[in-house]
């Protein structure tokens, strides 16, 4: 029946489905799901939506969407598929907000679970000495922020963009400018409720089912579906002093960044980005930032130079304004940026954390949000970052007009090596994120082919010079590449897979394991 629907709409993806199974097989397997007695329901409307993601380059059509209203809906569905065993080709992908880049939340001919439907229990904020939040795995961080702020609290570690779900970011790591101090989001979770690939509902934490807990954190959705999470909170500040300064020398820029992430008294947020061949930079930023010295700033000429912007934020409450200004001044006095480029602004904590949403709104208005996003995120060991910067920012890339290039260092000591996330083998490593947008149908330097080609050159450079780079939000197409990605952790990853999802039902869009049929 479901496939009948697809055929009637002449769906462009049906060719893929026919490769893996015949239409009638799929039809009957999908129909068998309808016999399940659920609180929520299966739906074949909008399967096209589930075949899209933010990357907008990979499109795998599922057989059906599950809109769960309880954890038991998810457990029953997976258990049903698990008990079909190898006779069923069905796989299951949890879809958070679908902000993956290469089809990671898609399930080719399988079941996509719309995690945002799972609102069985309200969010629960627990104030106290060690405050925490109990929240559904399908909740968006923007909603978490609004809710926790009502109690004067907020999570400690963030992503730059908040319209992502708990399950989606905990399956990767969840990194932003607070991670140097608090670690990634996966270092700030006390407890999880998970539905495994066998359909079992399990609670896990450092003390209970610890192996499952660490498997799932950074586990790319391979070991279970996160249905609930207990997330660490801290008192939330009201305001943020948000600062940008520029450097023209990469060595000095990175030394200052590393100094700040290692200092005891420092900023609350530290990031940075690379600007290649852009004009009128400070003027463009003036709508949101004030130069400390407007006359000097107006004379600053960025034409053609490669510049490095250090971005920092200091949290404060209005009654701490004077002392915070002093702390900021002290910290800035230890840095070696170009003095005329100091820009400052003050915004609410909410507006600071939700800052990318402002850009989203602008891009949506111009029709530039739903374009292909060929992003590449790399974690690079500190000792090799200069070599990387020299080659990539001076030789390979001619400009940074296709999208932001983020660069900031992280402390490995804040990452728990029991999780499934993999990082380079050094105490400090950098995140370098090429966040490109491609103009549809363009064959120029803003087109998909050109951007992908540049990324290939960057990856080849990393490989031939043995930089020890790891991809963040990794994307590989065969198991050999995954084995290399995980390195010595591969054996553990495989053991965990066979323990928690032995039939390889979960998260097929990651293309790590293939369901045996
Ligand atoms: P989805 O794309 O829906 O899913 C991602 C993967 O997780 C899939 O494999 C899916 O099956 C699995 N999954 C989803 N929900 C669950 C669940 N409940 N249980 C188990 N598995 C699940 N990342 C950062 O770390 N820092 C950033 O600053 C950052 N900024 C971003 C900004 C933008 C604009 C975008 C588009 C992405 C950004 N990301 C960032 C990447 C983002 O964290 C990941 O792509 C994340 O997976 C997206 O969350 P989602 O809810 O959309 O997940």
């Amino acid at each position: 029946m479901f496939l009948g629907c697809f055929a009637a709409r002449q769906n462009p993806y049906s060719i893929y489905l026919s490769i893996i199974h015949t239409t009638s097989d799929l039809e009957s397997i999908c129909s068998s799901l309808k016999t399940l007695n659920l609180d929520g329901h299966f739906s074949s409307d909008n399967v096209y939506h589930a075949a899209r993601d933010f990357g907008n380059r990979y499109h795998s059509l599922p057989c059906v969407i599950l809109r769960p209203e309880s954890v038991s809906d998810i457990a029953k569905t997976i258990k049903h598929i698990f008990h079909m065993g190898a006779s069923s080709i069905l796989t299951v992908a949890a879809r958070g907000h679908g902000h993956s880049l290469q089809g990671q939340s898609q399930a080719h001919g399988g079941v996509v679970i719309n995690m945002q439907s799972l609102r069985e229990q309200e969010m629960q904020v627990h104030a106290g000495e060690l405050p925490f939040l109990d929240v559904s795995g399908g909740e968006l961080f923007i909603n978490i922020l609004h809710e926790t702020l009502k109690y004067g609290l907020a999570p400690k570690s963030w992503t730059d963009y908040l319209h992502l779900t708990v399950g989606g970011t905990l399956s990767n790591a969840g990194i932003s400018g607070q991670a140097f101090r608090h670690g990634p989001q996966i270092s700030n979770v006390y407890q999880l409720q998970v539905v495994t690939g066998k359909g079992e509902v399990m609670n896990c934490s450092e003390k209970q089912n610890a192996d499952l807990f660490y498997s799932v954190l950074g586990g790319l959705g391979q070991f279970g579906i996160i249905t609930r999470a207990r997330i660490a909170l801290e008192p939330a500040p009201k305001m943020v002093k948000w600062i940008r300064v520029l450097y023209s020398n990469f060595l000095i820029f990175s030394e200052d960044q590393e100094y700040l992430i290692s200092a005891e008294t420092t900023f609350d947020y530290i990031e940075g980005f690379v600007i290649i061949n852009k004009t009128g930079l400070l003027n463009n930023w003036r709508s949101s930032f004030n130069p400390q010295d407007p006359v000097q700033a107006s004379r600053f000429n960025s034409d053609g130079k490669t510049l490095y912007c250090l971005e920092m934020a200091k949290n404060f409450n209005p009654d701490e304004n004077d002392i915070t200004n002093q702390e900021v001044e002290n910290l800035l006095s230890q840095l070696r940026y170009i003095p005329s480029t100091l820009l400052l602004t003050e915004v609410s904590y909410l507006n600071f954390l939700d800052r990318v949403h402002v850009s989203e709104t602008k891009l949506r208005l111009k029709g530039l949000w739903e374009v292909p996003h060929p992003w590449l995120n790399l974690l690079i060991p500190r000792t090799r970052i200069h070599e990387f910067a020299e080659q990539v920012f001076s030789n390979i890339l001619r400009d940074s007009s296709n999208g932001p290039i983020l660069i900031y260092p992280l402390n490995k000591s804040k990452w728990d090596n029991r999780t499934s996330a993999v990082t380079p083998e050094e105490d400090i490593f950098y995140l370098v994120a090429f966040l490109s947008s491609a103009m549809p149908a363009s064959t120029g330097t803003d087109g998909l082919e050109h951007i992908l080609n540049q990324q290939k050159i960057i990856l080849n450079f990393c490989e031939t010079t043995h930089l020890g780079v790891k991809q963040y939000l990794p994307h590989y197409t065969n198991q050999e590449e995954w084995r290399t990605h995980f390195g010595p952790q591969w054996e553990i990853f495989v053991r965990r897979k066979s323990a928690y999802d032995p039939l390889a039902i979960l998260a097929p869009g990651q293309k790590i394991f293939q369901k045996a049929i």
Side-chain angles (χ1 to χ4, degrees):
M1 178 207 148
F2 297 109
L3 277 184
C5 261
F6 298 162
R9 290 190 207 152
Q10 305 217 319
N11 99 67
Y13 309 119
S14 58
I15 186 161
Y16 299 123
L17 294 176
S18 63
I19 293 168
I20 55 171
H21 240 251
T22 66
T23 305
S24 62
D25 283 345
L26 258 183
E27 201 172 301
S28 67
I29 293 166
C30 278
S31 294
S32 75
L33 291 170
K34 291 204 300 183
T35 60
L36 298 174
N37 182 14
L38 303 182
D39 300 311
H41 64 280
F42 285 103
S43 145
S44 48
D45 301 340
N46 230 353
V47 278
Y48 292 89
H49 178 69
R52 289 179 71 108
D53 58 25
F54 181 78
N56 204 0
R57 293 172 48 213
Y58 290 76
H59 304 285
S60 293
L61 201 66
C63 156
V64 69
I65 314 292
L66 170 63
R67 297 187 190 285
E69 281 184 19
S70 63
V71 173
S72 129
D73 286 354
I74 297 175
K76 278 182 192 166
T77 302
I78 297 181
K79 203 170 263 179
H80 180 81
I81 294 170
F82 180 72
H83 285 304
M84 285 177 175
S87 67
S88 142
I89 56 139
L90 284 188
T91 53
V92 176
R95 180 182 170 94
H97 204 41
H99 276 46
S100 294
L101 298 157
Q102 293 104 346
Q104 285 91 338
S105 58
Q106 299 175 24
H108 192 69
V111 179
V112 167
I113 304 182
N114 182 335
M115 292 304 296
Q116 288 188 64
S117 309
L118 183 66
R119 291 248 159 82
E120 193 177 16
Q121 287 171 302
E122 298 280 304
M123 264 188 267
Q124 279 179 350
V125 176
H126 300 261
E129 218 171 291
L130 262 186
F132 60 86
L133 168 77
D134 283 324
V135 65
S136 159
E139 194 58 79
L140 293 174
F141 276 97
I142 182 66
N143 298 338
I144 291 178
L145 180 59
H146 282 295
E147 183 63 20
T148 54
L149 282 180
K150 291 179 193 161
Y151 299 80
L153 297 166
K156 300 174 177 178
S157 185
W158 294 94
T159 48
D160 293 344
Y161 175 65
L162 305 186
H163 296 249
L164 307 170
T165 66
V166 169
T169 68
L170 293 186
S171 296
N172 286 292
I175 324 173
S176 184
Q178 304 83 7
F180 77 91
R181 166 182 283 167
H182 295 295
Q185 291 182 323
I186 53 171
S187 297
N188 292 279
V189 180
Y190 295 138
Q191 195 177 305
L192 296 172
Q193 183 192 56
V194 169
V195 180
T196 68
K198 300 177 195 170
E200 300 158 330
V201 182
M202 291 176 77
N203 288 321
C204 56
S205 66
E206 194 182 354
K207 300 232 162 70
Q208 184 188 12
N209 299 314
D211 186 59
L212 176 62
F213 182 65
Y214 293 115
S215 302
V216 168
L217 294 172
L220 306 173
Q222 294 304 304
F223 310 108
I225 293 183
I226 300 168
T227 44
R228 207 149 174 84
R230 178 165 288 183
I231 295 173
L233 301 177
E234 65 176 4
K238 295 247 175 334
M239 299 290 294
V240 166
K241 290 184 193 286
W242 183 5
I243 301 156
R244 283 182 179 172
V245 292
L246 293 178
Y247 294 74
S248 54
N249 180 313
F250 183 78
L251 186 67
I252 299 177
F253 163 75
S254 59
E255 279 177 4
D256 277 0
Q257 274 194 325
E258 287 175 31
Y259 163 72
L260 287 176
I261 68 153
S262 310
E264 223 161 82
T265 307
T266 189
F267 290 98
D268 295 296
Y269 159 101
I270 298 163
E271 286 203 5
F273 49 96
V274 187
I275 302 137
I276 309 172
N277 202 6
K278 270 206 175 159
T279 51
L281 203 60
L282 297 193
N283 260 345
N284 290 345
W285 289 349
R286 271 194 173 187
S287 56
S288 23
F289 287 88
N290 307 309
Q292 195 187 46
D293 183 340
V295 177
Q296 290 302 319
S298 66
R299 290 189 188 141
F300 179 77
N301 183 356
S302 63
D303 288 357
K305 285 188 224 121
T306 295
L307 294 166
Y308 306 96
C309 176
L310 173 55
E311 185 172 64
M312 301 150 282
K314 190 85 182 158
N315 301 340
F316 72 108
N317 288 316
D319 60 342
E320 303 155 344
N321 193 35
D322 291 348
I323 185 139
T324 312
N325 279 340
Q326 242 168 39
E327 280 170 15
V328 166
E329 219 170 282
N330 281 347
L331 284 166
L332 289 176
S333 71
Q334 293 167 58
L335 305 179
R336 292 163 291 163
Y337 56 88
I338 305 166
S340 60
T341 65
L342 173 57
L343 303 181
L344 305 105
T345 189
E346 284 179 15
V347 290
S348 70
Y349 192 50
L350 173 69
N351 286 349
F352 175 71
L353 290 176
D354 199 24
R355 61 199 177 279
V356 175
H357 190 52
V358 176
S359 312
E360 175 184 356
T361 309
K362 286 184 192 158
L363 289 170
R364 277 193 191 279
L365 281 173
K366 293 184 199 159
L368 295 177
W369 184 254
E370 293 190 353
V371 297
H373 292 105
W375 285 12
L376 177 66
N377 287 267
L378 302 174
L379 301 173
I380 301 171
R382 184 187 77 85
T383 56
R384 310 298 299 274
I385 192 69
H386 300 106
E387 217 176 321
F388 179 89
E390 167 96 23
Q391 180 66 10
V392 175
F393 306 142
S394 306
N395 293 331
I396 299 178
L397 300 180
R398 297 272 161 251
D399 59 55
S400 52
S401 53
N402 288 329
I405 305 171
L406 307 186
I407 179 164
Y408 56 92
L410 296 157
N411 289 312
K412 190 172 171 91
S413 62
K414 303 291 178 184
W415 294 61
D416 192 323
N417 63 13
R418 292 168 293 182
T419 68
S420 295
V422 283
T423 59
E425 286 305 319
E426 280 191 17
D427 290 350
I428 292 179
F429 54 85
Y430 278 76
L431 171 74
V432 182
F434 300 91
L435 308 180
S436 307
S437 299
M439 290 309 106
S442 167
T443 51
T445 53
D446 57 357
L448 188 59
E449 198 180 326
H450 175 79
I451 297 169
L452 289 176
N453 199 36
Q454 279 189 326
Q455 291 182 358
K456 212 191 259 171
I457 296 170
I458 294 171
L459 287 171
N460 277 345
F461 166 72
C462 294
E463 203 177 315
T464 51
T465 51
H466 306 288
L467 284 195
V469 165
K470 295 289 176 194
Q471 278 192 35
Y472 177 57
L473 310 174
H475 169 63
Y476 297 105
T477 47
N478 65 60
Q479 207 174 69
E480 212 34 55
E481 290 174 331
W482 279 111
R483 186 189 285 268
T484 308
H485 170 77
F486 283 104
Q489 279 168 262
W490 174 246
E491 298 306 326
I492 301 171
F493 202 80
V494 171
R495 183 202 37 88
R496 288 171 163 178
K497 186 72 175 175
S498 67
Y500 304 116
D501 181 25
L503 296 185
I505 289 169
L506 300 177
Q510 299 278 3
K511 301 190 179 67
I512 306 175
F513 300 99
Q514 213 170 3
K515 189 170 182 203
I517 25 173

